[in-house]
Amino acid sequence: MKSEILNALRTTGGYVSGQELCRRLGVSRTAVWKEIRQLREDGYEIEAIQNKGYRLCRVPDSISEAELKSRMETVWAGQHLIHLDTVDSTNDYLKRMAEEGAPHGTLVVAEYQTKGKGRRGRSWVTPPGSTIAMSILVRPELEPEKVSMMTLVAGLSVAQSVREITGLEAEIKWPNDVVVHGKKLSGTLTEMSMEMGAVHYLVIGTGINANVMEFPEELQSTVTSLELELGAKADRGALICAYMKAFERNYERFMQSGDMSFLLEEYHGLLANRNREVRVLEPGNEYNGIAEGINSRGQLLVKKEGGTVTEVYAGEVSVRGIYQYV
Ligand code: BTN
């Protein structure tokens, strides 16, 4: 009910009478009043004026279920959502839910992860309550060898939503890191469950450094946050909802062809590595070249000295900038 009240107050912009809220929600005046009181306790500033009704004046930095539900503009992505204060890892939590039959599009967000996981076995450590740690569950009909492309779909969606909500010039470092001014803002870890050679489900987990002002010294030259870039706190709720909307749209385009064909242009438009010199680190094989872009299978095309173009698959390979992070 909280999310419906928030939604009504938000979409109206001005005052909504208590009577109107009762009508829309199909509940009594007392029930509406109780919810308003609880919202105030959660940090929402709601003005109440006799004969006019209620008006939303200020919203706390919240990613609660009610807050996200009241702002979600999707058909399926994030429509079923869970907010947790503390969790081991949103990816692990969602995998457990997936095993129990959670629906396609389920979103888990957490304020704090005790065992956040990064790519290649690394850990993902972030302070409590100020960043974004989220995972979405999808159940695509897709061959396992195509799964790594889904991580590009997520990276593209993060970059687009960061641009939309903050105005920052977010770009993609292939395959899915999102960077601002050459520093890492966000990373994605996609995990797959297979059954009899087919994809059972995917959990796509994304961490975005949102309202973090300080990083350990060894990371300071390569990592950034929204707050550092903006000089102000970012609206985490708006960003999560924008990400869900972008992800839903991009996912559907991706599934139309089962590859990156329909997303190629948008991805290229945001690809930070494009036409830059990169170093490719494959197990047992390292070389430099110019990153020309991606093909429809999501592979990075790297032109080596001498002119041969190699197709780099987003698996165990790492691609670095020669002079800096990108
Ligand atoms: C990377 O190494 O760049 C990927 C980082 C992915 C971190 C996110 S935070 C939410 C989700 N849960 C995890 O344990 N990891 C991902």
Side-chain angles (χ1 to χ4, degrees):
M1 192 161 31
K2 268 189 196 168
S3 66
E4 283 162 329
I5 293 184
L6 282 175
N7 186 270
L9 294 175
R10 240 194 205 108
T11 47
T12 317
Y15 292 93
V16 186
S17 71
Q19 203 180 2
E20 172 64 11
L21 287 176
C22 297
R23 194 190 61 76
R24 283 206 210 175
L25 277 65
V27 295
S28 70
R29 281 261 184 167
T30 327
V32 166
W33 183 79
K34 272 191 187 156
E35 294 296 325
I36 297 272
R37 195 181 54 188
Q38 271 193 19
L39 283 167
R40 284 184 177 143
E41 277 168 17
D42 294 343
Y44 292 86
E45 253 178 52
I46 301 171
E47 189 185 32
I49 295 197
Q50 229 172 11
N51 301 325
K52 273 185 156 182
Y54 298 103
R55 188 171 70 97
L56 190 59
C57 304
R58 223 173 57 86
V59 175
D61 172 33
S62 164
I63 55 169
S64 69
E65 275 170 35
E67 175 67 18
L68 295 179
K69 275 185 186 154
S70 74
R71 303 174 90 169
M72 203 63 84
E73 293 175 5
T74 53
V75 176
W76 53 265
Q79 284 299 323
H80 183 227
L81 78 93
I82 292 115
H83 168 268
L84 302 161
D85 282 325
T86 304
V87 68
D88 47 359
S89 144
T90 54
N91 269 27
D92 289 344
Y93 186 92
L94 192 49
K95 282 196 276 179
R96 295 191 287 270
M97 286 186 66
E99 294 297 335
E100 287 163 16
H104 175 73
T106 300
L107 173 71
V108 173
V109 299
E111 303 286 352
Y112 183 58
Q113 298 185 113
T114 53
K115 283 194 196 132
K117 301 187 295 184
R119 292 175 72 208
R120 294 194 205 89
R122 287 192 285 251
S123 57
W124 181 264
V125 185
T126 42
S130 51
T131 95
I132 296 176
M134 60 185 168
S135 301
I136 181 163
L137 170 70
V138 286
R139 298 181 178 277
E141 272 182 36
L142 197 68
E143 296 85 50
E145 59 275 15
K146 293 188 172 171
V147 162
S148 67
M149 278 186 268
M150 202 58 91
T151 222
L152 277 73
V153 174
L156 172 64
S157 311
V158 173
Q160 289 172 330
S161 50
V162 167
R163 281 175 171 249
E164 182 194 328
I165 298 301
T166 66
L168 290 171
E169 293 187 351
E171 297 182 297
I172 306 161
K173 175 181 178 282
W174 182 87
N176 62 40
D177 281 358
V178 171
V179 296
V180 175
H181 295 131
K183 293 180 171 184
K184 178 161 170 167
L185 175 75
S186 160
T188 291
L189 171 70
T190 300
E191 297 187 74
M192 159 169 70
S193 161
M194 276 195 359
E195 231 172 42
M196 312 221 287
V199 173
H200 184 204
Y201 62 80
L202 299 179
V203 164
I204 305 170
T206 299
I208 303 177
N209 301 324
N211 300 324
V212 188
M213 281 304 276
E214 248 194 316
F215 289 101
E217 210 176 320
E218 65 278 13
L219 294 180
Q220 282 172 11
S221 61
T222 52
V223 172
T224 192
S225 74
L226 293 175
E227 190 173 8
L228 282 172
E229 296 295 330
L230 291 168
K233 293 219 183 295
D235 183 342
R236 292 184 299 155
L239 184 51
I240 292 172
C241 294
Y243 170 63
M244 283 295 102
K245 202 171 171 188
F247 180 79
E248 183 175 280
R249 185 189 60 225
N250 293 330
Y251 176 92
E252 281 174 2
R253 279 202 217 150
F254 173 82
M255 289 305 290
Q256 276 170 17
S257 59
D259 64 20
M260 293 297 287
S261 305
F262 296 135
L263 296 171
L264 216 51
E265 212 168 296
E266 283 174 66
Y267 190 90
H268 275 153
L270 298 181
L271 184 58
N273 313 90
R274 205 165 186 201
N275 301 326
R276 294 240 184 126
E277 196 174 2
V278 292
R279 181 157 189 82
V280 180
L281 310 168
E282 283 174 3
N285 186 21
E286 292 192 12
Y287 54 91
N288 290 0
I290 304 291
E292 296 196 315
I294 59 165
N295 60 19
S296 60
R297 293 183 303 283
Q299 293 164 315
L300 188 69
L301 304 172
V302 178
K303 194 177 198 172
K304 289 192 197 172
E305 215 176 286
T308 48
V309 177
T310 55
E311 296 173 335
V312 183
Y313 180 79
E316 284 307 298
V317 184
S318 162
V319 170
R320 304 225 175 107
I322 299 291
Y323 306 108
Q324 53 186 46
Y325 179 63
V326 178

